[in-house]
Amino acid sequence: MSANPLLELRGIDKSFGPVQVLRDVAFAAYPGEVTALVGDNGAGKSTLVKCISGIYPVDAGEFIFDGRPVTINSPRDAASLGIEVVYQDLALCDNLDIVQNMFLGREKRNGLVLDEPTMEQMAAETLAGLSVRTVKSLRQHVSSLSGGQRQTVAIAKAVLWNSKLVILDEPTAALGVAQTAQVLELVRRLADNGLAVVLISHNMNDVFAVSDRIAALYLGQMVAQVKTTEITHAQVVELITAGRSGELGLAADPGVNGNGAAPADSTAGGVS
Amino acid sequence: MSANPLLELRGIDKSFGPVQVLRDVAFAAYPGEVTALVGDNGAGKSTLVKCISGIYPVDAGEFIFDGRPVTINSPRDAASLGIEVVYQDLALCDNLDIVQNMFLGREKRNGLVLDEPTMEQMAAETLAGLSVRTVKSLRQHVSSLSGGQRQTVAIAKAVLWNSKLVILDEPTAALGVAQTAQVLELVRRLADNGLAVVLISHNMNDVFAVSDRIAALYLGQMVAQVKTTEITHAQVVELITAGRSGELGLAADPGVNGNGAAPADSTAGGVS
Amino acid sequence: MSITAVTKEGPAAVAPAPTVGSHVRDYWQRVRGGDIGALPAVAGLLVLCTIFSIMRPSFLTAGNFANLFTQGAAVTLIAMGLVFVLLLGEIDLSAGFASGVCAAVLANLVTVLGYPWYVAVLAALLTGMVIGTTLGFLVAKVGIPSFVVTLAGFLAFQGVVLLLMKEGRNISVREPVVVAIVNRNMPVALGWTLAAIAVAGFAVVQLLRYRSRAARNLINDPFPVVLGRIAALALVLGLAVYVLNLERSLNTLITSLKGVPIVVPIVAVLLVVLTFVLQRTSYGRHIYAVGGNREAARRAGINVDRIRISAFMICSTMAAVGGIVAASRANSVDPNTGGSNVLLYAVGAAVIGGTSLFGGKGRILDAVLGGAVVAVIDNGMGLMGYSSGVKYVVTGVVLLLAASVDALSRRRASATGNR
Amino acid sequence: MSITAVTKEGPAAVAPAPTVGSHVRDYWQRVRGGDIGALPAVAGLLVLCTIFSIMRPSFLTAGNFANLFTQGAAVTLIAMGLVFVLLLGEIDLSAGFASGVCAAVLANLVTVLGYPWYVAVLAALLTGMVIGTTLGFLVAKVGIPSFVVTLAGFLAFQGVVLLLMKEGRNISVREPVVVAIVNRNMPVALGWTLAAIAVAGFAVVQLLRYRSRAARNLINDPFPVVLGRIAALALVLGLAVYVLNLERSLNTLITSLKGVPIVVPIVAVLLVVLTFVLQRTSYGRHIYAVGGNREAARRAGINVDRIRISAFMICSTMAAVGGIVAASRANSVDPNTGGSNVLLYAVGAAVIGGTSLFGGKGRILDAVLGGAVVAVIDNGMGLMGYSSGVKYVVTGVVLLLAASVDALSRRRASATGNR
Amino acid sequence: DDSGDQAGGGSGKTPKIGVILPDSSSSVRWESADRRFLKEAFDAAGVQSDIQNAQGDKNAFQTIADQMITNGVTVLMIVNLDSGTGKAVLDKAKSQGVATIDYDRLTLGGSAQYYVSFDNVAVGKLQGEGLVKCLTDAKVEKPAIAYLNGSPTDNNATLFKEGYDSVLKPKFDSGEYTKAADDSVPDWDNTQAATIFEQQLTKTGGKIDGVLSANDGLGNAAISVLKKNNLNGKVPVTGQDADPQALQNILAGDQCMTVYKAVKKEADAAAELAIALAKGERKETGQTVRDPEGNRDVPAVLLTPAAIYKENVKDVIADGYVTKEQVCTGDYAKLCTDAGIS
Ligand SMILES: Nc1ncnc2c1ncn2[C@@H]1O[C@H](COP(=O)(O)OP(=O)(O)OP(=O)(O)O)[C@@H](O)[C@H]1O
Ligand SMILES: Nc1ncnc2c1ncn2[C@@H]1O[C@H](COP(=O)(O)OP(=O)(O)OP(=O)(O)O)[C@@H](O)[C@H]1O
Ligand SMILES: [Mg+2]
Ligand SMILES: [Mg+2]
């Protein structure tokens, strides 16, 4: 794959008031590759995504997109660079229907007038491709959808557009078996089409199934970013729960000797 | 285990306006057992849970709790029967902090005055038991929590109380590896203590790891409720996606012959 | 892969193409489920009208029907603008006095300075736009809650009116065109022509939409339902124009009085235009989105600040229109124009019609229906001859009754989880 | 299992026990992060006072300071009640005229019917409770939006006042106890005693709380910070009592005028009691919960309807208290009592203090601080000698400035994702 | 006794007079006439003054009074909004050694040194008599009268009504006239007045032969509705305040009469008394008014209002109350000439 990352972050710091959530984070997403971003609950994954998409301003750090330094101050900026995001907290408008949500901010128009039939058709096709079979009507308000249906709408909304970078924050959390498979396949297909894809997930099977690289956050610090082929399942879990695994991750505590045994033990119960 | 179910539902119908979501659903939860409720996205699992907990009134059907017929008109009724629920749409008050949310509706008091220290201590202990390590302060508003942290708070809230039936609607969807393990262990422990537990999940590994029985919903109909030991992984997936598997599930369509092969194929991609 | 095969038909295929019967059944189910749109407001209106007609037969005369329109026009127009602001979950307390300021500008220009009416009307509208933009800027960019900004506006504009009125004088408006807006009627033939054009236009739009959806094989209302809708509009419009075209002079010896008051087509056109903006343009879609979930709208790349500012602008501009109508009706502007109960009535009209104060829910038609409820109550109470105290009490009670028709019919909605 | 070992210390252990230094640093970080509580309202208040003092030295006299309290008391009391309703995301437009109705009941009883003052006061409070319960019932049980219910109340109560006033006459209140509430002062010594008791009580509560948390090893504010808080209260209270105990008669030959106005401890006690209810009882907790997420509150088994009804009851009861104070201040009740700007000022006071109209956010102290802002503006503007028009405009602008201090300081909040 | 306390004037304090006007909605006179004439009078005498308007808000009224006392006025002149608040203000002023005058409205049970006013009942009487005159001129048989009373919450409106009732009620009782409608207009709001009058017309099927409206603003609202029905000029309408608009209506024949209160005279009289009080002097008025509630005779200056018909519109202009430019605009120039306004 290409050696130049599409998006590169350097030295990102982010605090909420007195709480520092991200510390000197570096991260890169490569075109044509799926980069899995993993980390414990509260590690800072979603915060990092929101910094990338311009929802939160960063306190310090650089963004380099397509080789040029950029500043992203709002989701509009991110969208205009070609960044699409599926947020963990889905951010759908409950008072709008499925079609309206999917095209929000980028409605198809005929002159001044909204082109509803076209949008409805496109929405139907996209949802069909995501194995959604239980939605009664595309004109249903999203407030009446089930958890998985909402998630699907959010995913469909992000993949409708021709973008360069797609970030999915736990996209399959609420999905059924078939739908999950479909989304993972979609993720792979997007990358194969040359897009950069960032996938956040707690499911190691999924991560190893589709990702090319794995980046691990531990308490707001990026402890490793490696090729998926160069790391094992157990090592990733160690990175997530202890912040280091053998050579990888944080430097060993001065007080403890550096053999990775203790942390490995500590997470034994965590691997299902 | 006990042969008498703690909760038994018969003939539950539920429509939202013109949309019928549950059709003649029968369901039982046994004390000391974990009953897994599975089904595709939009099958009606969360709706069924909300009918049990009194959030939605049912259109028809009977509830039998502990052998006696009961009516449940509001969450208060359900709570007074000893039913605790973790909802998929977590239903936390964003403007309250973690402790306040966990004790909402059942605050500890010293006479008239809230007993904040006691509540804070109990909350800290419960959360510690759920592997939450990244929460900065128990006095943080839940609006500032990560997805997984919110989920943990909701779970902690439900298990704080001495109840008879605990229903968890996709409790591990947003959780990390360690936390998921912890919650599954908790689920098992609750059942071993004699409670009836209902677990909704899309993760078949989890379902098979902890459940004693599996109930499958398909498009609002209960297609099977069987012992976990008497069914295979693939059969459950078939039930979820096609509504039948061999002998189990819906009667075969008159037009199609009843061999389960085609549905089994159709879900091959769905099993990861 | 067979999954895709299963779903190829797509969600659209889940529901069979509706027939007239299923359409009616669906509608009835929706009504029973509490999703009833304008029905309760219309029902409340009918109940009110029936009661008043029984108690005071003069309520049901052509003359009173015409009065209803002219009496309710100003509040309704202001309410129509308020819908935009309410849709965002904001409030504009200053709309009443903003209309007063604009009316004062108009009066000063036509009467004191002698400008032609169109200059004055334009200036009044412009004043409204400037006021709205300022309010919107303070809310969206500076970040002061709209309640506080517009409370400040409520106070300040009250002062501005006084200053424009030279400390309390009222100014007559005798400019014939301005006066005509509320006080003159269209020729009988013109009324019929406009009604016919409106029905024809509606029919064309409905039929084109039907065709385009049918062509793409999307779910469509059954054709007879579309026809029925057109017929219903024709019936309502025809009836209204017929009644307004009746002779309603109190003394035909002195004068003849018939025709649709000029203000009616003005309100109707604004109703159509603003409804179009809200329902059929992406701007309107964005208003709903910002009101429903501001953060989601921001994440979707909508320029939330611009939407908010523009909504305030529209609101104040509509307030200006309301002010012009009020000036026309009173033939004068005084320091109280737009004051007293105007604001509460206008917000009340929007809310009674079904617009939510929390944003995201409401239509322009709500404001018109709610405005009609308010106007009918005011009109009917005026015929009862109560003393002031009793009149206030009864008005309050009647308002409550009209609203509880709505509330009770929506009760099922929350019971079934819709809201 | 070692995971549990890692977490045994619990979340509390993540943060080290704070020192004075870290406490101050944390506070500063919070302020910079936009989480600033009462700071902006206090800052706005200080800015206003400074400007007025510079422009009109008479603003800064003991007499004017005392006036401020009596001028702002009624609106502040009504605002304190409104906080309960606003916390639920509801509104009570009728609070102003409800206070008028209660004042009218009071005046009729003491003046017309000659009952003793305590009977009349009780009857007024009871009237408030009944009004509130009715409004709450209509909102919670019948399901009519509170805006509509209380708009109907706004109209109806206006009529009730008129009827109670026998169509427009006003009723004098000469009962000495009622008149004393706003117009008489406490003896100098009593003022000091009450202040001392208040400080002592606060100290006991703070220290007990410190001890109980320390005993359980929970995170605690550093001891010096607790002491500092007590000292600050002592300072503020002491200063206020000192100033109010100064001689403020303009002509000591005629009369001597000093001491804390009686209404001040009344407001203070209600502030403490209602704050206690909201912050330290489960009822208060439930109010916040219902306002923050009604559905979550319902699922937590809270009786949402009862909470909503009770909030309206408290609101109207506080309106009754406000009405009594207004009657005392005016020595009379007339059909306009509680009318004109009272309602908007009261809601404005709560909102300026930081209470959200969307529910879930606000404190009683907000109402008092906001009430102070409104009173200071009114008081200061009265010293400037502007003509009416100019005065309105300047009042609006000053209100906006006071609010923008708040808005600008909270801007960072939304930038950092807090709201 | 009070005047002896006027040490303020003597003890070297600069005299300063505070005036509180009631509102700007019940009549345009307060802001457009009283404020101007009082200011002119005070300026001419070289005393400081502070004139404010309570805008119908009792609470504001009291706050303004507090602030004026804080600001060190030596004489306070008030137009009370109601006797209760008025009394509270007057008592407070007295306790602080500030002299007081009731301007235009007597505060019952109050403690003001003087009362300067028009007789409000007399105003109502003139309106009643004016309406009778116009109806007689038009030779209407058994006329039906509609009342447009002032604000139900305004005590003055009650007094006006008392005045015109004293003229018209006997005629209703004798069956010579009939009463078609009787409504009060909240807040003196002209917009509501139009609706109320329109409903009166509807209710009676148009059978209204005369409108007794309590002031010119309400009158103009009625006229606008009559115009819409092309009935203007055929139904006499009364008024009060001699607004330019009303004078125009009278010239055009749409309004029958208005009541002119020579506000300048009232203002001058009040200013003279106030200036005297500020200087520590006590003037004799030669007249008193009985305060039934306070059981005392208040020294008073009472001025008489005048009824204005088409013939004597010129008097108002000659008085300088309104200018010719305000009235004789556009089409009205010719009517002015016809009415002898030069
Ligand atoms: N607005 C905020 N204010 C204060 N703290 C915040 C805020 N948002 C997030 N945090 C804190 O930042 C940390 C990281 O949160 P984030 O949502 O990025 O975690 P995450 O890695 O996405 O976790 P999860 O897997 O549970 O989704 C958490 O400890 C959270 O409490
Ligand atoms: N309030 C409502 N109004 C109308 N339809 C609704 C409503 N709530 C749910 N539905 C519909 O009912 C069906 C079942 O929803 P439910 O939330 O029970 O699914 P679920 O089995 O929990 O799915 P998931 O696995 O995605 O959470 C869905 O098709 C949904 O669209
Ligand atoms: Mg996350
Ligand atoms: Mg679900």
Side-chain angles (χ1 to χ4, degrees), chain E:
Chain E
D1 52 344
D2 291 305
S3 62
D5 298 336
Q6 271 320 110
S11 62
K13 266 194 198 165
T14 44
K16 184 169 175 186
I17 296 163
V19 181
I20 311 179
L21 301 173
D23 57 54
S24 53
S25 55
S26 76
S27 157
V28 299
R29 64 170 277 195
W30 303 118
E31 286 295 317
S32 61
D34 293 88
R35 180 187 284 276
R36 171 156 65 100
F37 293 135
L38 288 169
K39 185 105 180 69
E40 281 169 8
F42 294 137
D43 288 351
V47 295
Q48 268 190 301
S49 61
D50 180 2
I51 304 174
Q52 299 204 35
N53 191 317
Q55 297 299 355
D57 184 342
K58 278 196 332 179
N59 197 35
F61 183 83
Q62 284 184 283
T63 301
I64 291 169
D66 285 348
Q67 297 317 90
M68 286 183 168
I69 296 170
T70 304
N71 250 345
V73 297
T74 49
V75 179
L76 186 62
M77 192 154 114
I78 64 164
V79 186
N80 70 43
L81 282 171
D82 70 80
S83 282
T85 8
K87 180 177 169 356
V89 164
L90 293 178
D91 290 351
K92 189 154 188 175
K94 185 180 172 190
S95 76
Q96 304 266 315
V98 175
T100 50
I101 297 177
D102 268 333
Y103 183 60
D104 205 66
R105 297 177 187 168
L106 181 63
T107 303
L108 300 179
S111 54
Q113 271 85 1
Y114 294 112
Y115 171 49
V116 181
S117 179
F118 287 100
D119 187 343
N120 282 330
V121 180
V123 169
K125 225 179 226 157
L126 283 181
Q127 290 172 326
E129 286 161 4
L131 189 64
V132 171
K133 175 175 177 299
C134 297
L135 288 167
T136 318
D137 289 353
K139 303 200 179 56
V140 188
E141 292 283 318
K142 214 162 177 307
I145 310 294
Y147 278 9
L148 274 183
N149 307 313
S151 169
T153 61
D154 184 345
N155 192 43
N156 281 19
T158 319
L159 296 177
F160 299 142
K161 185 165 194 227
E162 195 178 304
Y164 47 76
D165 261 345
S166 73
V167 177
L168 295 174
K169 193 146 184 304
K171 294 200 185 288
F172 296 142
D173 292 344
S174 71
E176 193 181 339
Y177 285 17
T178 55
K179 190 165 175 181
D182 181 351
D183 286 293
S184 298
V185 179
D187 304 336
W188 298 89
D189 182 343
N190 299 349
T191 316
Q192 292 187 55
T195 301
I196 289 169
F197 182 66
E198 204 155 49
Q199 293 316 94
Q200 291 180 339
L201 266 184
T202 306
K203 185 168 66 174
T204 56
K207 280 186 235 4
I208 288 178
D209 303 304
V211 182
L212 202 137
S213 88
N215 78 0
D216 286 340
L218 306 186
N220 189 58
I223 290 169
S224 72
V225 173
L226 290 171
K227 270 189 187 156
K228 189 170 134 186
N229 290 290
N230 290 324
L231 291 170
N232 53 322
K234 301 179 181 75
V235 178
V237 177
T238 65
Q240 169 184 198
D241 294 336
D243 286 356
Q245 187 181 58
L247 297 180
Q248 290 177 333
N249 284 338
I250 291 174
L251 291 176
D254 293 342
Q255 185 169 340
C256 141
M257 60 87 68
T258 186
V259 176
Y260 168 49
K261 295 183 288 190
V263 174
K264 182 161 168 41
K265 285 190 194 134
E266 188 186 12
D268 286 346
E272 195 184 327
L273 292 174
I275 292 161
L277 281 177
K279 294 186 174 147
E281 298 160 18
R282 162 141 260 196
K283 285 214 157 165
E284 279 309 315
T285 58
Q287 230 182 333
T288 58
V289 159
R290 182 81 189 155
D291 170 1
E293 210 164 294
N295 258 331
R296 64 175 195 137
D297 292 312
V298 190
V301 176
L302 291 179
L303 299 126
T304 40
I308 300 296
Y309 300 88
K310 201 183 258 185
E311 306 81 79
N312 56 354
V313 167
K314 55 178 177 291
D315 296 356
V316 183
I317 293 173
D319 229 16
Y321 182 68
V322 291
T323 62
K324 189 180 164 209
E325 289 70 40
Q326 287 173 309
V327 178
C328 305
T329 52
D331 298 348
Y332 293 93
K334 180 169 173 305
L335 293 171
C336 280
T337 332
D338 294 352
I341 300 164
S342 49

Side-chain angles (χ1 to χ4, degrees), chain A residues 7 9-14 16 21-28 37-38 43-56 58 63 85 87 167 169 198 200 215-217 220-222 225:
Chain A
L7 174 74
L9 308 184
R10 289 186 199 145
I12 302 291
D13 281 347
K14 174 69 194 166
F16 294 109
V21 174
L22 297 178
R23 282 168 223 264
D24 193 23
V25 169
F27 177 73
L37 178 60
V38 298
K45 306 180 295 298
S46 299
T47 306
L48 182 62
V49 168
K50 288 179 183 171
C51 289
I52 294 175
S53 70
I55 290 182
Y56 294 148
V58 295
F63 290 74
V85 186
Y87 296 97
I167 305 178
D169 193 351
V198 176
I200 298 180
L217 265 179
Q221 285 171 285
M222 188 60 80
Q225 186 159 9

